[in-house]
Structures are given as C-alpha cells and as structure tokens.
Amino acid sequence: MNNKPIIGVMPLWDGEKQSVWIHSGYIDGVIKAGGAPVLLPLTEEDEAFCRALEICDGILITGGQDVSPALYGESPKSGKADACPLRDRLEAHAVKAALERDLPLLGICRGLQFLNVALGGTLCQDIPSEVPSPLVHLHTPPEAPVTHDVIIEAGTPLAALLQQQRIHVNSFHHQSVKALSPMLRCMAHATDGVPEAAYMPDRQFIWGVQWHPEMSFRTDENSLKIFEAFVASAKNKDE
C-alpha cells in the first residue's frame, strides 16, 4: 500500500451551485492505474493549496471552464468568458510546482489548454468560428457524444506508448491550443489540424491530452495506458 504514488487531482467548480465536484472517472482512472488520488482544495487560500501540493507525487489537471483569455493577452471574443479565475490562479501554482520539483503532470482537456497558456502559448477561443472544418469537436446533449480520429506524431512519447499512428478518441471541447508554447511539442492532432496532445520534452512526464481518457479507460486500452504511464512516472520519480 505504501508504494502507491499520491496523485493530486484538481476539482471542478459548479458556479451555479457554488460547489466543488469531480467526475468519478478521474479518481477511478488513477486508482485503476495504481495511484492514490487526493482531491486538491479549491480555495482562496493559496498557501493551503500549495501545502497540499507538497504531499503529491503527481498532479492531474482536469477539464472544466474555459481558461481566462486575459492570461494569453486576449479579450473574450463572445463578450464574456465562461472562466473560473480561482482555478486559473491555483493551477498556475500546480504547474509551477511540477516544473520546480519535476513532478509528473497530466492535463486533460482544459488541463492541456491551461498547461499551454501557463507556458506561454495561446488558445483558439471557439473552434467552430475560428477553424474552418467539417469536424465536430463538441456535442450538444442529448446528441450522441462526438468522436473523431487523431494522428499521433512519430517520435513522441505518445507514439512510443501506444504504438499506433492513428487512434479514435472522444471529444468534448469548443476551445483548443492555438499557438503551442515553445516549451511544448505536439504529440497528436486532429484531421483538421487542431492540436490534441502535447508534452514537455525536457521533463520526465508533463503531458496534456485534449480528449477525455477518464471517460473511456474502462473500455479503451489506449486511455488506460495514458493513466498507467502517468501514475508509473509518479511512482518512479524518486527511484
């Protein structure tokens, strides 16, 4: 039991209910991969959040609200951003901790987007209006979930892990990476060119994926492998 790495999981925020919540797939995916997940506090007390990070062997940044456009020098193109400034601020601490301590970090959906912005990249605020493409990235309930293919870049850690050039993924986002941070390298892209995964080459494991492996790891081997690689990296960081 003592060798299970502690994975700090960033919770989601429900502004309407003024409550913290988490999709069970994030927790279950970490557990299935051999980790011990703990929910990080979504708090105005930065010191308390950073203290919680100190016990973590890895950090999982989850999906959720849009990243504030102000962080990459833009105004909301729709007039108002569906952002959570508190998450933006705390996740900046999480990325800083990952860099300073070489902690494994996995960003999912918003997690990839925030990682890119925190490292100097920018975002496409609305794919349908900014990316001319017939490819749909976001479904509207009660429609069936959207899925599409992504092309994996040769020579990347994702290619080495999955041993595939093309995979089928779920898709639940209307924003995406626009200008990739110079500190990151693309690992996969959609057929319309939208970046779908990235990593930091000079770190043991700082990855982001645009799709949602926490929703599919129970039935999709590729999704589980991503969780397993992340948790294994957290387990091995001090070995």
Side-chain angles (χ1 to χ4, degrees):
M1 293 291 291
N2 292 335
N3 65 349
K4 289 183 179 292
I6 296 174
I7 306 298
V9 181
M10 196 68 200
L12 286 75
W13 173 250
D14 186 324
E16 183 177 339
K17 296 181 179 178
Q18 293 291 292
S19 64
V20 170
W21 69 284
I22 191 71
H23 188 289
S24 63
Y26 293 114
I27 300 299
D28 294 344
V30 168
I31 292 173
K32 179 70 172 176
V38 296
L39 206 61
L40 293 168
L42 196 60
T43 172
E44 294 286 352
E45 297 293 333
D46 291 39
E47 185 177 351
F49 181 82
C50 292
R51 180 70 180 92
L53 287 175
E54 292 177 8
I55 70 168
C56 297
D57 301 304
I59 301 169
L60 174 58
I61 300 183
T62 58
Q65 286 95 344
D66 298 343
V67 178
S68 173
L71 295 181
Y72 49 96
E74 293 186 9
S75 299
K77 293 187 177 179
S78 63
K80 181 179 180 182
D82 177 25
C84 179
L86 179 58
R87 279 198 65 176
D88 290 339
R89 191 176 82 232
L90 296 179
E91 287 172 5
H93 289 304
V95 171
K96 181 181 179 182
L99 295 178
E100 291 180 346
R101 295 170 53 198
D102 198 17
L103 286 177
L105 181 148
L106 175 62
I108 293 177
C109 195
R110 169 199 158 89
L112 165 62
Q113 296 167 15
F114 186 83
L115 175 65
N116 184 57
V117 169
L119 297 179
T122 64
L123 300 182
C124 167
Q125 292 191 37
D126 183 61
I127 295 172
S129 62
E130 296 180 48
V131 179
S133 169
L135 194 66
V136 177
H137 290 268
L138 178 67
H139 81 286
T140 303
E143 296 176 6
V146 167
T147 59
H148 60 73
D149 284 355
V150 298
I151 311 236
I152 299 175
E153 301 278 354
T156 63
L158 188 62
L161 176 68
L162 302 184
Q163 295 293 302
Q164 297 180 59
Q165 297 179 333
R166 192 179 185 115
I167 62 173
H168 205 58
V169 301
N170 54 32
S171 189
F172 299 89
H173 62 109
H174 80 103
Q175 297 197 328
S176 67
V177 170
K178 186 176 183 180
L180 189 65
S181 160
M183 300 173 71
L184 297 174
R185 181 183 167 192
C186 185
M187 290 199 291
H189 60 273
T191 54
D192 59 2
V194 168
E196 291 277 341
Y199 77 109
M200 196 169 180
D202 62 347
R203 299 295 170 140
Q204 63 164 321
F205 192 107
I206 293 187
W207 287 23
V209 297
Q210 187 58 70
W211 62 93
H212 287 266
E214 84 283 359
M215 294 182 178
S216 52
F217 76 90
R218 296 177 180 86
T219 57
D220 176 58
E221 183 180 7
N222 292 329
S223 297
L224 180 57
K225 283 182 177 180
I226 291 171
F227 273 109
E228 290 175 336
F230 167 52
V231 171
S233 185
K235 183 177 180 180
N236 295 331
K237 74 177 185 66
D238 293 322
E239 296 181 359

